[in-house]
Amino acid sequence: MKLLDKLHLGIKKVTVIFQCIRIEVNDELKLLQLFLQNFTKYISLKGRCAIISYHSIEDRIVKLAFKELESSGKWKTLTKHVIKPTYLEVQKNRAARSAKLRIIENL
C-alpha cells in the first residue's frame, strides 16, 4: 500500500503541503518583499516592472506594494485587474493555470 493511501492524503493535499514547505525553506515571501522594496531604484523613467505570481499570498503582496507605490504619485499600475491566462494558454501550458500578472510603470 502506498504511503499516501495510508495517510489518507490525496495528490492535491500533498502538493499544497510541498508548496508551503518550499515557500518557507526558500524564504520566498521575504525575498519577494525585499525585491518590491528595492526594484524602484533600478527602473528608469517610463520603465515598467511586470511580476508574475503563482500563489494568492504572493499576488496579495505584489498588489499591496503596487498600490502603495501608486499612492506616491510617481508610479501607475497598468493592470487595473490582474491578468490571468486564457483557457487556450492553460491547455498549452498547464503550469500557467495559477499565474497572475501585474504591471507597474514609473511616471
Side-chain angles (χ1 to χ4, degrees):
M1 185 179 254
K2 292 182 180 178
L3 178 61
L4 295 181
D5 293 335
K6 288 180 183 178
L7 297 174
H8 304 289
L9 295 174
I11 192 69
K12 289 190 179 198
K13 288 181 181 178
V14 172
T15 303
V16 171
I17 292 168
F18 176 75
Q19 184 180 35
C20 292
I21 292 169
R22 189 202 74 227
I23 288 170
E24 187 63 29
V25 167
N26 295 334
D27 215 2
E28 293 176 15
L29 300 180
K30 183 179 177 185
L31 292 173
L32 175 61
Q33 289 173 330
L34 187 62
F35 171 80
L36 290 167
Q37 292 169 1
N38 292 295
F39 83 93
T40 57
K41 301 171 190 172
Y42 306 100
I43 305 291
S44 61
L45 192 61
K46 295 293 181 186
R48 295 176 179 178
C49 177
I51 297 180
I52 300 173
S53 59
Y54 291 92
H55 192 276
S56 59
I57 295 172
E58 297 167 342
D59 184 57
R60 181 154 181 80
I61 292 170
V62 173
K63 177 182 176 180
L64 294 174
F66 281 10
K67 197 173 196 176
E68 186 177 326
L69 284 170
E70 196 169 31
S71 70
S72 73
K74 297 178 182 179
W75 293 84
K76 180 180 178 186
T77 303
L78 301 179
T79 48
K80 184 176 181 182
H81 300 286
V82 68
I83 299 172
K84 296 180 182 179
T86 65
Y87 175 79
L88 290 175
E89 286 175 300
V90 173
Q91 293 304 308
K92 290 179 183 177
N93 178 11
R94 187 140 161 76
R97 69 189 180 279
S98 60
K100 296 175 184 173
L101 173 66
R102 294 185 184 274
I103 306 168
I104 195 165
E105 181 180 47
N106 185 356
L107 300 175

